[in-house]
Amino acid sequence: MTRIIADISVSLDGFVTGPDPGPDNGLGTGGEALHTWAFSDDPDDRRFLREGTARSGAVVLGRRLFDVVDGPKGWDDTTGYGAGEVGKPAFVVVTSTPPESVRTTDLDWTFVTTGLPDAVDAARRRAEAAAADRGKDLDVVLMGGAATIRSALDAGLLDALTLHLSPVVLGAGTPLFTGGTPRKLVQRSVTPTSTATHLSYDVSR
């Protein structure tokens, strides 16, 4: 069964970027510390990265995040989604206006202009098609940004939430949660490592 999972790194004070994020400063000032776990040699960190990439049949992201990862200082062969892991999923971008050009033409991009629910539906279809080809269940992963994940949670689109809680206090930046619809979460796992605490929740609808 294809699930819809939000998966994002967050600071102890609840930020998913540092201050002043943008295409030339993707994670904001100090925000790189949020993803230290993804480059760690810790076996549990490596397992979370490997399993998260392997389960990704399609990935949803917002336009601001797309502009960062497709920008001149964005993804490359060493820093892209699941770089060094198995395969590359399809990517679905929620946007009001598709970009005129794409730098990362080696990736499979779909731009949806009719809202987040339609983007999630498009990603689900891509994930289910990939699952049929590979003969195993694959999920839709919402990688961000924060507004996209908040909107999905508020709209009841998520089945699960995975947080990589980094041992850093950023003081400012992009908050993951800023009010919204209350949701009941069921804690499924807690895995501490030297670089993060990996938290997995089911989302009650």
Side-chain angles (χ1 to χ4, degrees):
M1 182 183 72
T2 298
R3 299 183 302 162
I4 312 300
I5 302 173
D7 188 315
I8 196 165
S9 298
V10 61
S11 69
L12 289 176
D13 50 348
F15 296 104
V16 299
T17 75
D20 303 317
D24 293 327
N25 190 28
L27 289 172
T29 303
E32 293 82 3
L34 296 172
H35 290 172
T36 299
W37 72 270
F39 302 95
S40 164
D41 291 328
D42 184 286
D44 282 325
D45 288 330
R46 301 309 304 169
R47 177 174 59 83
F48 268 91
L49 184 64
R50 181 178 63 253
E51 291 177 354
T53 303
R55 77 168 185 246
S56 301
V59 176
V60 176
L61 62 158
R63 177 58 188 269
R64 287 184 183 178
L65 183 53
F66 167 79
D67 287 341
V68 170
V69 303
D70 193 58
K73 295 183 179 181
W75 286 351
D76 57 29
D77 289 340
T78 62
T79 60
Y81 186 91
E85 300 298 330
V86 179
K88 294 179 180 177
F91 294 91
V92 178
V93 181
V94 189
T95 181
S96 58
T97 306
E100 294 182 1
S101 62
V102 175
R103 177 182 64 85
T104 48
T105 54
D106 58 322
L107 298 178
D108 180 355
W109 295 105
T110 298
F111 298 92
V112 175
T113 60
T114 52
L116 181 58
D118 285 346
V120 170
D121 283 344
R124 187 193 298 274
R125 291 193 296 272
R126 296 300 300 273
E128 289 174 346
D133 287 342
R134 299 185 203 176
K136 67 174 186 177
D137 288 339
L138 295 172
D139 297 323
V140 172
V141 177
L142 274 67
M143 64 172 285
T148 300
I149 289 177
R150 285 197 304 269
S151 295
L153 187 62
D154 287 346
L157 297 174
L158 296 182
D159 298 307
L161 173 65
T162 298
L163 300 179
H164 310 284
L165 186 63
S166 299
V168 59
V169 176
L170 294 174
T174 306
L176 178 56
F177 298 118
T178 55
T181 304
R183 291 286 173 187
K184 177 70 173 178
L185 304 182
V186 179
Q187 186 167 284
R188 290 305 182 196
S189 68
V190 179
T191 304
T193 71
S194 61
T195 59
T197 301
H198 303 283
L199 306 164
S200 297
Y201 302 93
D202 288 341
V203 179
S204 299
R205 296 193 181 187

